[in-house]
Amino acid sequence: MLISLTDLLSWRVRAGERRLALHDLLFEAETRRLVYVMVEPAGLAPGDRVLIAASALGVPEAEAQEMPLHLREDELDRAPRCGGGHDEMVAMLAAMPPMVIGPFGAPSAPLLMPEHERPGEDEPDPRAQAALARYDRLGDWLGHPVFARDGEAGTVSDLLYDPVAGELTHIVVDNGKLFGHRQRAVPMFELVTRAEAERGGHVVLDLTLAGLETAPLASDMLSPE
């Protein structure tokens, strides 16, 4: 069962009787495993988000377009939160220990850095740079050029996710053609590199353009609803 991440952002997260809007997805840049989701519970200040460990999520329910969240109300209320801006999110991630994937609110939940350990306002925060390097967001991929071994192939239009394995499996490449328009799913193992954002964020695949044309259509890879 594979799920489109762009579709997933329109789903809801179900925590008991509460329904939470899913705002963003963060995964490890190196392993491609989903590690955090950002949700928007009702009752917060406009634009505020809550960060939840992906390990607290249950198996997605495609028919209902919901993801169950295995956290108690008090755990959800204690989960780290920030404004919706990118800089605020990076600052929150930088203040947390890396690679902790247990549910927030549990005894092993990551704690924010004490004030006396945080860099001053005018000092560069190395933890922020590490957080940027450690995690990718879905938006870091979408719309960026894709290159095959022998030329430009299109742009990234989506990523496919295996909720059982908890990891990304395919890059969806849109060929951008008016006639013969296709969106093809390329396995992650064909990825050679993805450039940093300041270098264009382009993706390079270990495929020829002809080989890409034989890749399955993304729509054929998705779980039926």
Side-chain angles (χ1 to χ4, degrees):
M1 179 174 81
L2 299 182
I3 295 176
S4 154
L5 286 192
T6 57
D7 286 349
L8 193 61
L9 286 179
S10 67
W11 291 23
R12 294 282 173 172
V13 175
R14 186 182 73 246
E17 297 300 317
R18 299 172 69 175
R19 298 296 186 271
L20 317 174
L22 187 57
H23 178 70
D24 209 343
L25 306 157
L26 290 87
F27 43 92
E28 275 185 324
E30 184 175 347
T31 65
R32 314 298 183 203
R33 293 187 64 82
L34 184 68
V35 286
Y36 295 117
V37 296
M38 293 198 76
V39 299
E40 187 175 354
L44 294 185
D48 276 3
R49 311 282 188 257
V50 172
L51 190 69
I52 301 294
S55 58
L57 295 170
V59 177
E61 300 170 1
E63 185 174 348
Q65 295 193 343
E66 290 185 343
M67 297 182 72
L69 177 62
H70 302 308
L71 286 182
R72 300 189 309 268
E73 289 281 338
D74 61 311
E75 292 174 329
L76 182 60
D77 290 338
R78 294 199 307 269
R81 61 191 61 197
C82 67
H86 179 265
D87 291 345
E88 293 169 289
M89 182 194 70
V90 170
M92 178 172 63
L93 290 172
M96 292 162 48
M99 309 301 291
V100 176
I101 59 173
F104 290 107
S108 60
L111 301 176
L112 297 182
M113 290 174 62
E115 289 290 343
H116 68 273
E117 294 183 11
R118 299 180 188 172
E121 291 184 4
D122 297 329
E123 300 175 40
D125 188 350
R127 290 188 177 226
Q129 297 305 314
L132 283 172
R134 191 163 61 239
Y135 302 114
D136 281 340
R137 303 167 70 187
L138 176 59
D140 295 335
W141 288 73
L142 298 181
H144 288 292
V146 177
F147 292 90
R149 292 201 299 260
D150 51 350
E152 186 167 358
T155 58
V156 178
S157 62
D158 206 348
L159 298 172
L160 302 187
Y161 171 66
D162 181 344
V164 176
E167 62 189 20
L168 302 178
T169 60
H170 293 76
I171 302 167
V172 179
V173 181
D174 189 319
N175 65 13
K177 295 178 180 179
L178 181 60
F179 300 104
H181 178 247
R182 296 288 187 273
Q183 291 186 326
R184 298 195 177 272
V186 178
M188 272 288 176
F189 61 74
E190 299 288 6
L191 175 67
V192 175
T193 187
R194 185 176 72 87
E196 297 176 358
E198 56 269 23
R199 296 184 178 180
H202 60 272
V203 169
V204 180
L205 301 176
D206 189 20
L207 285 174
T208 63
L209 291 171
L212 181 60
E213 286 301 311
T214 66
L217 295 176
S219 57
D220 293 340
M221 301 289 293
L222 297 177
S223 304
E225 294 186 5

PDB file of all heavy atoms in Angstrom, residues 37-60:
ATOM      1  N   VAL A  37       5.451  14.663  11.973  1.00  0.00           N
ATOM      2  CA  VAL A  37       4.393  15.355  11.247  1.00  0.00           C
ATOM      3  C   VAL A  37       4.040  16.605  12.042  1.00  0.00           C
ATOM      4  O   VAL A  37       4.169  16.634  13.267  1.00  0.00           O
ATOM      5  CB  VAL A  37       3.138  14.473  11.053  1.00  0.00           C
ATOM      6  CG1 VAL A  37       3.471  13.265  10.190  1.00  0.00           C
ATOM      7  CG2 VAL A  37       2.546  14.033  12.384  1.00  0.00           C
ATOM      8  N   MET A  38       3.646  17.640  11.332  1.00  0.00           N
ATOM      9  CA  MET A  38       3.165  18.853  11.978  1.00  0.00           C
ATOM     10  C   MET A  38       1.674  18.934  11.785  1.00  0.00           C
ATOM     11  O   MET A  38       1.170  18.827  10.655  1.00  0.00           O
ATOM     12  CB  MET A  38       3.861  20.088  11.409  1.00  0.00           C
ATOM     13  CG  MET A  38       5.337  20.148  11.727  1.00  0.00           C
ATOM     14  SD  MET A  38       6.040  21.794  11.512  1.00  0.00           S
ATOM     15  CE  MET A  38       5.409  22.596  13.000  1.00  0.00           C
ATOM     16  N   VAL A  39       0.945  19.093  12.885  1.00  0.00           N
ATOM     17  CA  VAL A  39      -0.509  19.150  12.826  1.00  0.00           C
ATOM     18  C   VAL A  39      -0.981  20.477  13.405  1.00  0.00           C
ATOM     19  O   VAL A  39      -0.238  21.175  14.098  1.00  0.00           O
ATOM     20  CB  VAL A  39      -1.151  17.976  13.593  1.00  0.00           C
ATOM     21  CG1 VAL A  39      -0.739  16.641  12.987  1.00  0.00           C
ATOM     22  CG2 VAL A  39      -0.796  18.020  15.075  1.00  0.00           C
ATOM     23  N   GLU A  40      -2.219  20.787  13.110  1.00  0.00           N
ATOM     24  CA  GLU A  40      -2.811  22.057  13.540  1.00  0.00           C
ATOM     25  C   GLU A  40      -4.093  21.761  14.319  1.00  0.00           C
ATOM     26  O   GLU A  40      -5.176  21.694  13.735  1.00  0.00           O
ATOM     27  CB  GLU A  40      -3.102  22.928  12.328  1.00  0.00           C
ATOM     28  CG  GLU A  40      -3.568  24.331  12.668  1.00  0.00           C
ATOM     29  CD  GLU A  40      -3.730  25.198  11.433  1.00  0.00           C
ATOM     30  OE1 GLU A  40      -3.377  24.734  10.325  1.00  0.00           O
ATOM     31  OE2 GLU A  40      -4.223  26.321  11.564  1.00  0.00           O
ATOM     32  N   PRO A  41      -3.984  21.558  15.630  1.00  0.00           N
ATOM     33  CA  PRO A  41      -5.194  21.286  16.416  1.00  0.00           C
ATOM     34  C   PRO A  41      -6.065  22.525  16.544  1.00  0.00           C
ATOM     35  O   PRO A  41      -5.568  23.658  16.545  1.00  0.00           O
ATOM     36  CB  PRO A  41      -4.648  20.868  17.789  1.00  0.00           C
ATOM     37  CG  PRO A  41      -3.187  20.632  17.597  1.00  0.00           C
ATOM     38  CD  PRO A  41      -2.780  21.505  16.454  1.00  0.00           C
ATOM     39  N   ALA A  42      -7.352  22.313  16.672  1.00  0.00           N
ATOM     40  CA  ALA A  42      -8.260  23.428  16.943  1.00  0.00           C
ATOM     41  C   ALA A  42      -7.959  23.987  18.333  1.00  0.00           C
ATOM     42  O   ALA A  42      -7.551  23.265  19.241  1.00  0.00           O
ATOM     43  CB  ALA A  42      -9.710  22.954  16.864  1.00  0.00           C
ATOM     44  N   GLY A  43      -8.147  25.281  18.484  1.00  0.00           N
ATOM     45  CA  GLY A  43      -7.970  25.903  19.787  1.00  0.00           C
ATOM     46  C   GLY A  43      -6.640  26.592  19.982  1.00  0.00           C
ATOM     47  O   GLY A  43      -6.454  27.328  20.945  1.00  0.00           O
ATOM     48  N   LEU A  44      -5.673  26.356  19.070  1.00  0.00           N
ATOM     49  CA  LEU A  44      -4.400  27.056  19.163  1.00  0.00           C
ATOM     50  C   LEU A  44      -4.520  28.424  18.519  1.00  0.00           C
ATOM     51  O   LEU A  44      -5.474  28.728  17.793  1.00  0.00           O
ATOM     52  CB  LEU A  44      -3.298  26.257  18.459  1.00  0.00           C
ATOM     53  CG  LEU A  44      -2.917  24.900  19.058  1.00  0.00           C
ATOM     54  CD1 LEU A  44      -1.734  24.327  18.299  1.00  0.00           C
ATOM     55  CD2 LEU A  44      -2.593  25.011  20.530  1.00  0.00           C
ATOM     56  N   ALA A  45      -3.515  29.275  18.768  1.00  0.00           N
ATOM     57  CA  ALA A  45      -3.473  30.568  18.096  1.00  0.00           C
ATOM     58  C   ALA A  45      -3.359  30.337  16.590  1.00  0.00           C
ATOM     59  O   ALA A  45      -2.770  29.346  16.159  1.00  0.00           O
ATOM     60  CB  ALA A  45      -2.284  31.383  18.603  1.00  0.00           C
ATOM     61  N   PRO A  46      -3.925  31.231  15.773  1.00  0.00           N
ATOM     62  CA  PRO A  46      -3.855  31.052  14.318  1.00  0.00           C
ATOM     63  C   PRO A  46      -2.410  30.870  13.851  1.00  0.00           C
ATOM     64  O   PRO A  46      -1.521  31.633  14.224  1.00  0.00           O
ATOM     65  CB  PRO A  46      -4.452  32.357  13.786  1.00  0.00           C
ATOM     66  CG  PRO A  46      -5.343  32.839  14.880  1.00  0.00           C
ATOM     67  CD  PRO A  46      -4.669  32.434  16.160  1.00  0.00           C
ATOM     68  N   GLY A  47      -2.186  29.828  13.050  1.00  0.00           N
ATOM     69  CA  GLY A  47      -0.856  29.577  12.522  1.00  0.00           C
ATOM     70  C   GLY A  47       0.014  28.699  13.394  1.00  0.00           C
ATOM     71  O   GLY A  47       1.078  28.267  12.962  1.00  0.00           O
ATOM     72  N   ASP A  48      -0.396  28.409  14.625  1.00  0.00           N
ATOM     73  CA  ASP A  48       0.409  27.564  15.497  1.00  0.00           C
ATOM     74  C   ASP A  48       0.323  26.098  15.061  1.00  0.00           C
ATOM     75  O   ASP A  48      -0.724  25.634  14.609  1.00  0.00           O
ATOM     76  CB  ASP A  48      -0.046  27.685  16.947  1.00  0.00           C
ATOM     77  CG  ASP A  48       0.573  28.885  17.649  1.00  0.00           C
ATOM     78  OD1 ASP A  48       1.299  29.638  16.970  1.00  0.00           O
ATOM     79  OD2 ASP A  48       0.334  29.069  18.850  1.00  0.00           O
ATOM     80  N   ARG A  49       1.437  25.405  15.199  1.00  0.00           N
ATOM     81  CA  ARG A  49       1.520  24.000  14.820  1.00  0.00           C
ATOM     82  C   ARG A  49       2.079  23.188  15.985  1.00  0.00           C
ATOM     83  O   ARG A  49       2.811  23.696  16.824  1.00  0.00           O
ATOM     84  CB  ARG A  49       2.452  23.825  13.618  1.00  0.00           C
ATOM     85  CG  ARG A  49       2.190  24.779  12.456  1.00  0.00           C
ATOM     86  CD  ARG A  49       1.002  24.352  11.619  1.00  0.00           C
ATOM     87  NE  ARG A  49       0.890  25.168  10.418  1.00  0.00           N
ATOM     88  CZ  ARG A  49       0.016  26.153  10.256  1.00  0.00           C
ATOM     89  NH1 ARG A  49      -0.829  26.445  11.229  1.00  0.00           N
ATOM     90  NH2 ARG A  49      -0.028  26.838   9.129  1.00  0.00           N
ATOM     91  N   VAL A  50       1.749  21.896  15.979  1.00  0.00           N
ATOM     92  CA  VAL A  50       2.257  20.967  16.986  1.00  0.00           C
ATOM     93  C   VAL A  50       3.063  19.895  16.263  1.00  0.00           C
ATOM     94  O   VAL A  50       2.636  19.368  15.236  1.00  0.00           O
ATOM     95  CB  VAL A  50       1.094  20.330  17.782  1.00  0.00           C
ATOM     96  CG1 VAL A  50       1.602  19.219  18.683  1.00  0.00           C
ATOM     97  CG2 VAL A  50       0.379  21.392  18.613  1.00  0.00           C
ATOM     98  N   LEU A  51       4.226  19.574  16.820  1.00  0.00           N
ATOM     99  CA  LEU A  51       5.118  18.579  16.230  1.00  0.00           C
ATOM    100  C   LEU A  51       4.895  17.232  16.909  1.00  0.00           C
ATOM    101  O   LEU A  51       4.969  17.123  18.124  1.00  0.00           O
ATOM    102  CB  LEU A  51       6.572  19.013  16.409  1.00  0.00           C
ATOM    103  CG  LEU A  51       7.627  18.215  15.657  1.00  0.00           C
ATOM    104  CD1 LEU A  51       7.508  18.452  14.153  1.00  0.00           C
ATOM    105  CD2 LEU A  51       9.023  18.582  16.146  1.00  0.00           C
ATOM    106  N   ILE A  52       4.626  16.196  16.086  1.00  0.00           N
ATOM    107  CA  ILE A  52       4.322  14.863  16.589  1.00  0.00           C
ATOM    108  C   ILE A  52       5.280  13.859  15.953  1.00  0.00           C
ATOM    109  O   ILE A  52       5.555  13.924  14.757  1.00  0.00           O
ATOM    110  CB  ILE A  52       2.870  14.468  16.232  1.00  0.00           C
ATOM    111  CG1 ILE A  52       1.871  15.460  16.835  1.00  0.00           C
ATOM    112  CG2 ILE A  52       2.568  13.050  16.689  1.00  0.00           C
ATOM    113  CD1 ILE A  52       1.814  15.464  18.337  1.00  0.00           C
ATOM    114  N   ALA A  53       5.772  12.930  16.759  1.00  0.00           N
ATOM    115  CA  ALA A  53       6.617  11.866  16.224  1.00  0.00           C
ATOM    116  C   ALA A  53       5.792  10.935  15.346  1.00  0.00           C
ATOM    117  O   ALA A  53       4.681  10.538  15.709  1.00  0.00           O
ATOM    118  CB  ALA A  53       7.260  11.086  17.357  1.00  0.00           C
ATOM    119  N   ALA A  54       6.335  10.569  14.189  1.00  0.00           N
ATOM    120  CA  ALA A  54       5.619   9.686  13.271  1.00  0.00           C
ATOM    121  C   ALA A  54       5.368   8.316  13.892  1.00  0.00           C
ATOM    122  O   ALA A  54       4.429   7.619  13.498  1.00  0.00           O
ATOM    123  CB  ALA A  54       6.412   9.541  11.975  1.00  0.00           C
ATOM    124  N   SER A  55       6.192   7.926  14.871  1.00  0.00           N
ATOM    125  CA  SER A  55       6.001   6.625  15.515  1.00  0.00           C
ATOM    126  C   SER A  55       4.713   6.575  16.317  1.00  0.00           C
ATOM    127  O   SER A  55       4.263   5.494  16.714  1.00  0.00           O
ATOM    128  CB  SER A  55       7.189   6.310  16.425  1.00  0.00           C
ATOM    129  OG  SER A  55       7.357   7.321  17.397  1.00  0.00           O
ATOM    130  N   ALA A  56       4.100   7.732  16.578  1.00  0.00           N
ATOM    131  CA  ALA A  56       2.833   7.770  17.310  1.00  0.00           C
ATOM    132  C   ALA A  56       1.635   7.610  16.379  1.00  0.00           C
ATOM    133  O   ALA A  56       0.501   7.565  16.847  1.00  0.00           O
ATOM    134  CB  ALA A  56       2.709   9.080  18.083  1.00  0.00           C
ATOM    135  N   LEU A  57       1.882   7.531  15.079  1.00  0.00           N
ATOM    136  CA  LEU A  57       0.795   7.388  14.110  1.00  0.00           C
ATOM    137  C   LEU A  57       0.474   5.924  13.874  1.00  0.00           C
ATOM    138  O   LEU A  57       1.372   5.068  13.848  1.00  0.00           O
ATOM    139  CB  LEU A  57       1.180   8.043  12.781  1.00  0.00           C
ATOM    140  CG  LEU A  57       1.382   9.557  12.808  1.00  0.00           C
ATOM    141  CD1 LEU A  57       1.990  10.013  11.485  1.00  0.00           C
ATOM    142  CD2 LEU A  57       0.077  10.285  13.079  1.00  0.00           C
ATOM    143  N   GLY A  58      -0.810   5.644  13.664  1.00  0.00           N
ATOM    144  CA  GLY A  58      -1.236   4.304  13.293  1.00  0.00           C
ATOM    145  C   GLY A  58      -1.226   4.133  11.787  1.00  0.00           C
ATOM    146  O   GLY A  58      -0.762   4.996  11.034  1.00  0.00           O
ATOM    147  N   VAL A  59      -1.765   3.013  11.330  1.00  0.00           N
ATOM    148  CA  VAL A  59      -1.824   2.735   9.889  1.00  0.00           C
ATOM    149  C   VAL A  59      -2.858   3.649   9.245  1.00  0.00           C
ATOM    150  O   VAL A  59      -3.995   3.747   9.722  1.00  0.00           O
ATOM    151  CB  VAL A  59      -2.195   1.258   9.647  1.00  0.00           C
ATOM    152  CG1 VAL A  59      -2.339   0.983   8.146  1.00  0.00           C
ATOM    153  CG2 VAL A  59      -1.145   0.347  10.265  1.00  0.00           C
ATOM    154  N   PRO A  60      -2.486   4.352   8.173  1.00  0.00           N
ATOM    155  CA  PRO A  60      -3.447   5.249   7.508  1.00  0.00           C
ATOM    156  C   PRO A  60      -4.686   4.504   7.027  1.00  0.00           C
ATOM    157  O   PRO A  60      -4.602   3.346   6.595  1.00  0.00           O
ATOM    158  CB  PRO A  60      -2.646   5.794   6.315  1.00  0.00           C
ATOM    159  CG  PRO A  60      -1.218   5.641   6.706  1.00  0.00           C
ATOM    160  CD  PRO A  60      -1.163   4.397   7.539  1.00  0.00           C
TER     161      PRO A  60
END
